[in-house]
Amino acid sequence: MKKPIFYHAGCSVCVSAEHDIINLIGAENVEIVHLADDRNRIQDAEKAGVKSVPALVTPNGNVLHINFGASMEDVKK
Amino acid sequence: MKKPIFYHAGCSVCVSAEHDIINLIGAENVEIVHLADDRNRIQDAEKAGVKSVPALVTPNGNVLHINFGASMEDVKK
């Protein structure tokens, strides 16, 4: 099965949500992508419909925007 | 272990997020509370820090606001 992908950018809201998601679904069941470190994934995230981080893209393609850490515009700066 | 609680109010954003959360963590691992049907839980949700629905309150008390369906003010109407 395709894994959900958790996109974040290292902000405190992102890190807190990352811990919560890992606790809820297990570290082995989610791919974590840090967009500030892995900037060539920014385009994938935008294509998936991610407008802000942290966000979780489910295996069926839905985007769950979780709280609000930073907009994608800020991530791209 | 305490279960996370998913609060929603029957809006389309809520229902979609509910399906995603159940797919991700399993129906048996989350308590679903429908605030429009179960209005005496509204106070619990607000006390937990829920500002809008859908929202997931984790076992350690963090609130993950997921997308945006409706504010708690709208739920109370």
Side-chain angles (χ1 to χ4, degrees):
Chain A
M1 198 183 93
K2 258 176 76 180
K3 282 186 187 184
I5 304 175
F6 181 80
Y7 289 104
H8 76 121
C11 59
S12 61
V13 172
C14 295
V15 170
S16 171
E18 180 186 347
H19 292 163
D20 291 328
I21 291 295
I22 286 176
N23 285 338
L24 289 167
I25 65 182
E28 69 284 9
N29 296 320
V30 57
E31 180 185 358
I32 307 286
V33 176
H34 191 318
L35 292 174
D37 291 344
D38 204 355
R39 298 185 65 84
N40 56 1
R41 299 291 295 272
I42 290 176
Q43 212 181 343
D44 294 347
E46 287 196 308
K47 209 178 285 176
V50 173
K51 306 283 186 213
S52 62
V53 286
L56 187 71
V57 178
T58 69
N60 60 9
N62 289 345
V63 183
L64 302 177
H65 292 98
I66 298 169
N67 296 334
F68 181 83
S71 70
M72 287 301 283
E73 293 309 309
D74 288 331
V75 172
K76 286 194 277 185
K77 276 177 193 162
Chain B
M1 198 185 93
K2 260 176 72 181
K3 281 186 189 185
I5 305 174
F6 181 80
Y7 288 104
H8 76 120
C11 59
S12 61
V13 172
C14 294
V15 170
S16 170
E18 180 186 349
H19 291 162
D20 290 328
I21 292 294
I22 286 176
N23 285 339
L24 287 167
I25 67 181
E28 70 285 8
N29 297 321
V30 57
E31 180 185 359
I32 306 287
V33 176
H34 190 318
L35 292 173
D37 291 345
D38 202 356
R39 298 186 64 84
N40 57 0
R41 299 290 296 272
I42 290 175
Q43 214 182 341
D44 294 346
E46 288 196 306
K47 209 178 286 175
V50 172
K51 306 283 185 214
S52 62
V53 286
L56 187 71
V57 178
T58 69
N60 61 9
N62 288 346
V63 184
L64 302 178
H65 293 98
I66 298 169
N67 294 336
F68 181 83
S71 71
M72 287 301 283
E73 293 310 308
D74 288 330
V75 171
K76 286 193 278 186
K77 275 178 194 161

